[in-house]
Amino acid sequence: MSDWECDDNEDGIDTQKPAPKAAPTEWKLPGDDRQRERVFFGLRRRAPRGCSDDCIDEGSEFNRRRSGAEGRPVLQSTARRTFGDVKSDSSPPVTFTVKNASVGRVIGRGGAKIRELEELTGARIKINKGDYEGEVVIFGSSAAQHKAKEMIEDLVGDGSSRFHNVLRKGGDYGRGEDRGDYSGGVDGGIRNDSVWSATELEAANAAPARVSINWNTIRENKEKYEELKWKDLPPMKKKFYTEAESVSKLTAEEVSEWRKENNNIFVDDLKDEGEKRPFPNPCRTFLEAFELYPEVMENIEQVGFVRPTPIQSQAWPVLLSGEDLIAIAQTGTGKTLAYLLPGFIHMDGQPVPRCGRGGPGMLVLTPTRELALQIETECKKYRYKSYKSICIYGGGDRRGQINLVKDGVDIVIATPGRLNDLQMNELISLRSITYLVLDEADRMLDMGFEPQIMKILLDIRPDRQTVMTSATWPTGVRRLAKSYLKNPMMVYVGTLDLAAVNTVQQTVLIVHEDEKKSYVFDFIRNMLPQDKVLIFVGKKLVADDLSSDMCLHGVAVQSLHGDREQYDREEALKDFKESRVRVLVATDLASRGLDVHDITHVFNYDFPRNIEEYVHRVGRTGRAGRSGAAVTLVTRENWRMAPELIPILERAGQEVPEDLVLMADRYEKHKREKEMCDPRGGQGRTGGGGWGRRDSGGRGGRDRGQNWGF
């Protein structure tokens, strides 16, 4: 079986995720002789995980009966041999790589294709995930490995593979093992009922000659090809900043003190070579930043903002100066306005008039539909120069979105999946983009959008101005920034370490899995009339189940997750924002960019998949100067997160339960013991979960769980 499985995410894009472990299945012999032969003779299908010795004995007995009936030599206990107990016919494993984009083709939906390959060749195939390529490891005899390797190479090649030809003609790819050929013609034992001759059929089914591509030459001439692609670009202007006199008079000590007092702002110049550039002084008021742009000032006054947030104060002079920027701050700190207002000024100041650009001037890429719609709302709120903005996202009216693009648009706010769809079908031109924003870049990488982002950026002019926002600074975001930003400046508020906001009181409860519902219902019964709670769960089914139970108990509730129709998602969010319901059950879809300022409580019904998501969830409350509270339920299955959760609580000045410390100590001890037993860092039979996961099929997890003393 493969370690991967292809699935569709909410924006319609194939992503790769760990395949769920199959439940033990009953081993049944196939019903006809042909199928039995395929299972027990030449094809060596592996026994299912749940197969017992009785299954293998049954197979062996069948082999003996068949041998006696037909006098044919048979392979005894084939199912057991496949797992490596008999190694006499095995060769060293064959290893090669395929591109990540082709891995899904090899695996097939639900692992169907890789199982078919294993059956047809008699080999066992394993695929290990890498950053850019998948490693294919083939076990079995030399002949089986050779067959499997050729079939996989054909499968990920030009689409005219011999593997597909064999399947199309009804042939058996593995029948010519002794001859060493893989043809499916008349000589291969396939009946020819066609009016065409065997020679004509062979010629028709022959794969066309492959075109040889010299990739080394292409890489060597990459700059030349890019120059040809972008040689006719119109001129572009980036610099629009004139420093106010009050800003230029600030001394270095005054600037340092101001940054320290305003959420401990840190700045840095990430220029690759040469001396570091002086970092612009912050604009402490709106007038210091936009005195030369009266329309922007009018919009700000109409909205009613009093003063800029720390990230805005330091980001505006950088962006108006034409530099690329990396802005790192927690959600809810004003990052959207930090890049939107300079973007408006940038588009208005271009030497090419709007009517002559042939497409949009600003592109904002964002991970979720909700965040995209929220940014579009912000764009429409300011109405600068009558710029027209549209929102492009999966799940929306595709034809309607295409028509809006064709009618002409200035600002595109999009999720990567749907935009890449329109781009690849040549329904939108990105050559006119001069101002690019990668919003919530860490979340887009978490959701597997990096391939789509890379394709989108290939069609945007390389001398653009680029802004990247993120709440964290992990390795993936650093790699993305290094690849697609040129000599950026960095502004980050607070610290690059994870730290949940200290305006939120965080409570952690150690509970049993079956007690969680009673805890959340007790919490809701004790809510005050003005309270508003966001309940986070780990799975879409749990969201539906929990919200249904609440409805049955008379609680006004809405749910938000990726399987709901777009209209229902928008209605749920609107009901929650307008307080028609005060309880929203949601997956991590709502952990970022959800602009609801009056959430009083966050309830973590399921612990998030990583500690970053915990920080984002907690950040949904305690916004805009308000205080908030977060309640988190932790079960023994979450023990691996305990060592990471404790520092978060300590840095925010929160109480750390003794049971959580005990849980962390036990996990660290278990990890040390595991490393001593397996110095190579192998994950063992339980898949690295550490606490004997329920689906591991072993008793270790249940036995060890009794030592917790719950």
Side-chain angles (χ1 to χ4, degrees):
M1 286 289 292
S2 165
D3 293 331
W4 289 357
E5 176 185 23
C6 289
D7 198 2
D8 294 333
N9 69 7
E10 67 183 42
D11 286 304
I13 298 301
D14 284 342
T15 55
Q16 292 154 352
K17 66 180 183 181
K21 293 187 178 181
T25 56
E26 183 181 357
W27 179 252
K28 294 184 180 180
L29 287 173
D32 56 63
D33 288 346
R34 171 63 175 165
Q35 289 175 310
R36 292 191 182 104
E37 183 180 30
R38 289 176 64 83
V39 173
F40 286 100
F41 293 97
L43 300 175
R44 299 208 309 258
R45 171 183 250 168
R46 290 183 297 154
R49 184 181 297 273
C51 184
S52 65
D53 288 341
D54 294 337
C55 306
I56 298 170
D57 292 340
E58 184 180 359
S60 302
E61 178 61 27
F62 172 75
N63 286 340
R64 288 193 291 273
R65 290 200 307 269
R66 188 168 181 85
S67 177
E70 300 183 14
R72 183 186 301 180
V74 297
L75 301 175
Q76 297 290 337
S77 300
T78 304
R80 186 186 296 276
R81 284 167 16 89
T82 305
F83 285 99
D85 292 340
V86 179
K87 301 182 179 179
S88 59
D89 65 337
S90 296
S91 299
V94 172
T95 303
F96 60 98
T97 61
V98 298
K99 293 182 179 179
N100 278 351
S102 301
V103 167
R105 202 181 307 171
V106 179
I107 296 173
R109 184 166 295 279
K113 182 62 68 177
I114 202 168
R115 287 196 296 271
E116 188 177 8
L117 289 167
E118 289 180 329
E119 290 178 6
L120 290 173
T121 62
R124 184 159 63 91
I125 304 168
K126 181 177 176 64
I127 301 181
N128 300 315
K129 182 178 181 181
D131 290 335
Y132 303 102
E133 293 181 320
E135 180 188 58
V136 181
V137 185
I138 305 176
F139 304 88
S141 67
S142 178
Q145 290 174 344
H146 179 72
K147 279 188 252 179
K149 186 172 185 293
E150 282 208 356
M151 291 170 72
I152 292 173
E153 287 175 345
D154 285 345
L155 195 60
V156 302
D158 59 5
S160 58
S161 67
R162 288 170 290 181
F163 176 44
H164 283 298
N165 290 338
V166 168
L167 295 180
R168 187 165 56 247
K169 292 184 290 185
D172 187 345
Y173 201 103
R175 306 296 285 178
E177 178 175 350
D178 295 335
R179 296 191 304 273
D181 78 74
Y182 311 105
S183 62
V186 177
D187 292 337
I190 299 174
R191 183 180 175 185
N192 182 9
D193 292 328
S194 173
V195 297
W196 303 98
S197 67
T199 305
E200 290 170 322
L201 284 174
E202 186 175 352
N205 287 319
R210 295 186 180 181
V211 179
S212 178
I213 300 176
N214 190 333
W215 292 106
N216 290 329
T217 303
I218 291 176
R219 292 188 188 99
E220 290 170 2
N221 294 281
K222 177 184 175 184
E223 293 182 2
K224 184 177 74 174
Y225 295 139
E226 286 187 353
E227 185 179 342
L228 288 172
K229 180 177 181 179
W230 301 109
K231 67 177 182 178
D232 297 325
L233 284 177
M236 182 179 68
K237 183 181 176 183
K238 291 184 180 180
K239 298 184 184 297
F240 304 96
Y241 184 58
T242 301
E243 192 173 58
E245 185 177 353
S246 58
V247 175
S248 60
K249 286 182 178 180
L250 291 172
T251 65
E253 291 76 15
E254 289 174 329
V255 170
S256 177
E257 186 64 26
W258 184 89
R259 287 172 178 160
K260 187 175 181 180
E261 291 174 355
N262 284 267
N263 289 32
N264 211 15
I265 298 175
F266 289 89
V267 297
D268 196 6
D269 177 18
L270 302 184
K271 187 177 180 182
D272 291 334
E273 299 175 355
E275 294 184 8
K276 289 188 178 283
R277 298 160 291 182
F279 212 95
N281 292 340
C283 297
R284 298 162 297 175
T285 66
F286 291 111
L287 193 62
E288 287 180 341
F290 304 113
E291 185 177 5
L292 301 179
Y293 305 99
E295 283 193 47
V296 174
M297 288 301 303
E298 288 176 13
N299 280 322
I300 290 172
E301 290 170 2
Q302 287 176 3
V303 173
F305 288 134
V306 178
R307 67 179 197 139
T309 65
I311 191 72
Q312 293 167 357
S313 297
Q314 195 61 80
W316 283 335
V318 175
L319 291 174
L320 290 171
S321 298
E323 304 293 347
D324 285 6
L325 175 70
I326 300 168
I328 300 179
Q330 295 296 328
T331 53
T333 53
K335 287 180 288 187
T336 303
L337 204 61
Y339 62 72
L340 274 185
L341 296 184
F344 294 154
I345 295 169
H346 171 98
M347 287 194 300
D348 185 47
Q350 293 309 306
V352 179
R354 292 168 67 179
C355 58
R357 294 173 191 169
M362 182 197 299
L363 170 63
V364 182
L365 284 178
T366 186
T368 65
R369 311 173 195 177
E370 282 71 26
L371 187 53
L373 291 167
Q374 183 175 301
I375 295 168
E376 185 189 26
T377 302
E378 289 293 307
C379 281
K380 291 180 176 178
K381 187 188 297 182
Y382 294 95
R383 299 282 182 186
Y384 187 78
K385 299 287 185 180
S386 300
Y387 282 136
K388 183 180 177 183
S389 63
I390 66 165
C391 197
I392 295 176
Y393 53 88
D397 180 5
R398 185 174 183 271
R399 186 178 296 276
Q401 293 171 4
I402 293 169
N403 291 335
L404 288 173
V405 171
K406 289 180 178 178
D407 290 342
V409 65
D410 302 292
I411 304 168
V412 173
I413 302 116
T415 54
R418 174 54 62 85
L419 181 63
N420 185 227
D421 166 31
L422 301 189
Q423 172 199 19
M424 300 302 286
N425 286 285
E426 299 183 350
L427 297 170
I428 187 172
S429 172
L430 304 178
R431 288 180 64 88
S432 56
I433 300 291
T434 57
Y435 190 86
L436 170 68
V437 181
L438 303 174
D439 197 17
E440 298 282 6
D442 52 347
R443 180 65 168 153
M444 287 195 286
L445 293 182
D446 287 345
M447 295 175 69
F449 281 131
E450 187 171 6
Q452 288 77 37
I453 295 171
M454 292 170 66
K455 292 175 187 175
I456 289 166
L457 267 54
L458 286 174
D459 284 347
I460 301 177
R461 55 190 294 168
D463 59 343
R464 65 187 177 260
Q465 184 174 5
T466 307
V467 189
M468 175 185 286
T469 77
S470 181
T472 57
W473 188 231
T475 304
V477 176
R478 298 183 193 190
R479 186 182 68 248
L480 198 67
K482 188 174 181 63
S483 299
Y484 298 109
L485 278 74
K486 291 187 177 179
N487 297 325
M489 290 187 166
M490 173 186 276
V491 177
Y492 50 95
V493 177
T495 171
L496 290 182
D497 294 331
L498 285 172
V501 286
N502 53 18
T503 57
V504 179
Q505 180 184 353
Q506 301 170 58
T507 304
V508 176
L509 303 175
I510 312 296
V511 302
H512 283 289
E513 183 69 31
D514 54 7
E515 295 175 336
K516 288 160 75 169
K517 274 193 179 179
S518 62
Y519 271 91
V520 74
F521 277 105
D522 285 344
F523 175 85
I524 290 174
R525 278 193 291 269
N526 291 315
M527 283 176 60
L528 298 175
Q530 68 272 20
D531 287 346
K532 184 180 287 190
V533 60
L534 177 55
I535 301 174
F536 281 107
V537 297
K539 297 180 180 179
K540 303 167 188 175
L541 287 176
V542 177
D544 287 336
D545 176 59
L546 193 58
S547 58
S548 297
D549 281 357
M550 290 180 181
C551 285
L552 293 174
H553 283 78
V555 178
V557 62
Q558 273 282 17
S559 67
L560 184 66
H561 58 74
D563 276 355
R564 297 202 71 186
E565 294 293 334
Q566 184 60 32
Y567 173 80
D568 294 329
R569 288 168 64 167
E570 292 176 17
E571 184 180 39
L573 194 53
K574 185 178 180 181
D575 286 347
F576 190 58
K577 282 184 176 182
E578 298 176 358
S579 298
R580 283 195 287 270
V581 299
R582 292 190 170 271
V583 179
L584 178 66
V585 181
T587 59
D588 280 326
L589 181 71
S591 66
R592 304 197 190 197
L594 214 166
D595 189 21
V596 182
H597 291 294
D598 58 345
I599 296 175
T600 59
H601 294 79
V602 165
F603 194 102
N604 290 313
Y605 183 84
D606 293 322
F607 200 87
R609 57 187 174 180
N610 56 53
I611 204 67
E612 289 87 356
E613 287 304 322
Y614 173 82
V615 174
H616 292 305
R617 287 182 179 185
V618 171
R620 293 302 94 204
T621 185
R623 294 163 66 87
R626 298 179 175 90
S627 60
V631 178
T632 302
L633 304 184
V634 177
T635 67
R636 65 186 185 191
E637 283 79 11
N638 309 132
W639 73 326
R640 68 181 181 85
M641 303 304 302
E644 299 180 65
L645 177 59
I646 290 173
I648 299 293
L649 297 174
E650 290 176 341
R651 285 203 296 272
Q654 305 294 322
E655 181 181 352
V656 180
E658 291 184 9
D659 286 343
L660 188 66
V661 176
L662 177 63
M663 183 182 284
D665 291 342
R666 289 182 179 241
Y667 176 74
E668 294 292 350
K669 180 182 177 182
H670 165 78
K671 193 164 68 170
R672 289 193 298 270
E673 292 174 351
K674 187 177 179 181
E675 289 172 354
M676 291 176 63
C677 295
D678 187 2
R680 295 175 299 172
Q683 293 188 351
R685 293 180 61 86
T686 59
W691 190 242
R693 291 162 46 183
R694 294 178 184 272
D695 58 354
S696 64
R699 295 178 300 170
R702 291 190 292 272
D703 293 341
R704 286 195 297 271
Q706 295 169 1
N707 297 329
W708 278 86
F710 287 130

mmCIF file of all heavy atoms in Angstrom, residues 547-562:
data_model
loop_
_atom_site.group_PDB
_atom_site.id
_atom_site.type_symbol
_atom_site.label_atom_id
_atom_site.label_comp_id
_atom_site.label_asym_id
_atom_site.label_seq_id
_atom_site.Cartn_x
_atom_site.Cartn_y
_atom_site.Cartn_z
ATOM 1 N N SER A 547 -22.969 20.471 16.280
ATOM 2 C CA SER A 547 -23.967 21.525 16.060
ATOM 3 C C SER A 547 -25.377 20.945 16.030
ATOM 4 O O SER A 547 -26.328 21.576 16.511
ATOM 5 C CB SER A 547 -23.661 22.288 14.771
ATOM 6 O OG SER A 547 -23.625 21.419 13.658
ATOM 7 N N SER A 548 -25.542 19.734 15.488
ATOM 8 C CA SER A 548 -26.869 19.090 15.492
ATOM 9 C C SER A 548 -27.335 18.800 16.909
ATOM 10 O O SER A 548 -28.507 19.023 17.255
ATOM 11 C CB SER A 548 -26.816 17.790 14.680
ATOM 12 O OG SER A 548 -26.516 18.043 13.339
ATOM 13 N N ASP A 549 -26.420 18.300 17.752
ATOM 14 C CA ASP A 549 -26.781 18.038 19.149
ATOM 15 C C ASP A 549 -27.202 19.312 19.859
ATOM 16 O O ASP A 549 -28.150 19.319 20.654
ATOM 17 C CB ASP A 549 -25.590 17.411 19.882
ATOM 18 C CG ASP A 549 -25.444 15.923 19.580
ATOM 19 O OD1 ASP A 549 -26.302 15.390 18.849
ATOM 20 O OD2 ASP A 549 -24.478 15.320 20.068
ATOM 21 N N MET A 550 -26.511 20.389 19.577
ATOM 22 C CA MET A 550 -26.859 21.663 20.215
ATOM 23 C C MET A 550 -28.229 22.155 19.766
ATOM 24 O O MET A 550 -29.007 22.686 20.566
ATOM 25 C CB MET A 550 -25.786 22.710 19.895
ATOM 26 C CG MET A 550 -24.467 22.457 20.584
ATOM 27 S SD MET A 550 -23.228 23.705 20.180
ATOM 28 C CE MET A 550 -21.832 23.091 21.122
ATOM 29 N N CYS A 551 -28.517 21.983 18.475
ATOM 30 C CA CYS A 551 -29.850 22.359 17.974
ATOM 31 C C CYS A 551 -30.942 21.576 18.694
ATOM 32 O O CYS A 551 -31.989 22.130 19.064
ATOM 33 C CB CYS A 551 -29.940 22.111 16.474
ATOM 34 S SG CYS A 551 -29.061 23.321 15.474
ATOM 35 N N LEU A 552 -30.713 20.284 18.910
ATOM 36 C CA LEU A 552 -31.694 19.453 19.604
ATOM 37 C C LEU A 552 -31.900 19.910 21.051
ATOM 38 O O LEU A 552 -32.962 19.683 21.630
ATOM 39 C CB LEU A 552 -31.254 17.991 19.573
ATOM 40 C CG LEU A 552 -31.264 17.321 18.187
ATOM 41 C CD1 LEU A 552 -30.671 15.920 18.267
ATOM 42 C CD2 LEU A 552 -32.686 17.253 17.635
ATOM 43 N N HIS A 553 -30.862 20.545 21.625
ATOM 44 C CA HIS A 553 -30.974 21.056 22.990
ATOM 45 C C HIS A 553 -31.442 22.509 23.021
ATOM 46 O O HIS A 553 -31.403 23.164 24.072
ATOM 47 C CB HIS A 553 -29.625 20.945 23.706
ATOM 48 C CG HIS A 553 -29.295 19.557 24.158
ATOM 49 N ND1 HIS A 553 -28.828 18.579 23.287
ATOM 50 C CD2 HIS A 553 -29.370 18.964 25.383
ATOM 51 C CE1 HIS A 553 -28.614 17.466 23.946
ATOM 52 N NE2 HIS A 553 -28.945 17.665 25.224
ATOM 53 N N GLY A 554 -31.859 23.031 21.878
ATOM 54 C CA GLY A 554 -32.418 24.371 21.834
ATOM 55 C C GLY A 554 -31.403 25.492 21.777
ATOM 56 O O GLY A 554 -31.744 26.650 22.056
ATOM 57 N N VAL A 555 -30.159 25.185 21.410
ATOM 58 C CA VAL A 555 -29.115 26.212 21.320
ATOM 59 C C VAL A 555 -29.100 26.787 19.903
ATOM 60 O O VAL A 555 -29.083 26.038 18.920
ATOM 61 C CB VAL A 555 -27.731 25.620 21.668
ATOM 62 C CG1 VAL A 555 -26.644 26.687 21.520
ATOM 63 C CG2 VAL A 555 -27.735 25.049 23.076
ATOM 64 N N ALA A 556 -29.109 28.105 19.788
ATOM 65 C CA ALA A 556 -28.992 28.750 18.475
ATOM 66 C C ALA A 556 -27.529 28.671 18.036
ATOM 67 O O ALA A 556 -26.658 29.301 18.652
ATOM 68 C CB ALA A 556 -29.443 30.205 18.556
ATOM 69 N N VAL A 557 -27.248 27.901 16.994
ATOM 70 C CA VAL A 557 -25.866 27.594 16.618
ATOM 71 C C VAL A 557 -25.740 27.551 15.101
ATOM 72 O O VAL A 557 -26.710 27.264 14.387
ATOM 73 C CB VAL A 557 -25.433 26.238 17.250
ATOM 74 C CG1 VAL A 557 -26.293 25.100 16.738
ATOM 75 C CG2 VAL A 557 -23.964 25.944 16.986
ATOM 76 N N GLN A 558 -24.545 27.851 14.618
ATOM 77 C CA GLN A 558 -24.206 27.675 13.212
ATOM 78 C C GLN A 558 -22.908 26.878 13.131
ATOM 79 O O GLN A 558 -22.146 26.821 14.102
ATOM 80 C CB GLN A 558 -24.023 29.027 12.514
ATOM 81 C CG GLN A 558 -25.301 29.637 11.969
ATOM 82 C CD GLN A 558 -25.736 28.994 10.656
ATOM 83 O OE1 GLN A 558 -25.288 27.917 10.289
ATOM 84 N NE2 GLN A 558 -26.618 29.674 9.942
ATOM 85 N N SER A 559 -22.655 26.255 11.962
ATOM 86 C CA SER A 559 -21.406 25.514 11.751
ATOM 87 C C SER A 559 -20.718 26.019 10.495
ATOM 88 O O SER A 559 -21.372 26.494 9.559
ATOM 89 C CB SER A 559 -21.672 24.004 11.648
ATOM 90 O OG SER A 559 -22.413 23.708 10.481
ATOM 91 N N LEU A 560 -19.382 25.909 10.490
ATOM 92 C CA LEU A 560 -18.576 26.421 9.386
ATOM 93 C C LEU A 560 -17.458 25.429 9.093
ATOM 94 O O LEU A 560 -16.601 25.189 9.945
ATOM 95 C CB LEU A 560 -17.982 27.789 9.760
ATOM 96 C CG LEU A 560 -17.190 28.528 8.679
ATOM 97 C CD1 LEU A 560 -18.096 28.937 7.532
ATOM 98 C CD2 LEU A 560 -16.519 29.764 9.268
ATOM 99 N N HIS A 561 -17.489 24.833 7.879
ATOM 100 C CA HIS A 561 -16.401 23.939 7.470
ATOM 101 C C HIS A 561 -16.400 23.813 5.950
ATOM 102 O O HIS A 561 -17.303 24.301 5.263
ATOM 103 C CB HIS A 561 -16.519 22.563 8.137
ATOM 104 C CG HIS A 561 -17.810 21.839 7.866
ATOM 105 N ND1 HIS A 561 -18.091 21.249 6.649
ATOM 106 C CD2 HIS A 561 -18.892 21.612 8.653
ATOM 107 C CE1 HIS A 561 -19.286 20.682 6.712
ATOM 108 N NE2 HIS A 561 -19.798 20.893 7.916
ATOM 109 N N GLY A 562 -15.395 23.175 5.414
ATOM 110 C CA GLY A 562 -15.157 23.162 3.972
ATOM 111 C C GLY A 562 -16.162 22.389 3.154
ATOM 112 O O GLY A 562 -16.229 22.587 1.937
#
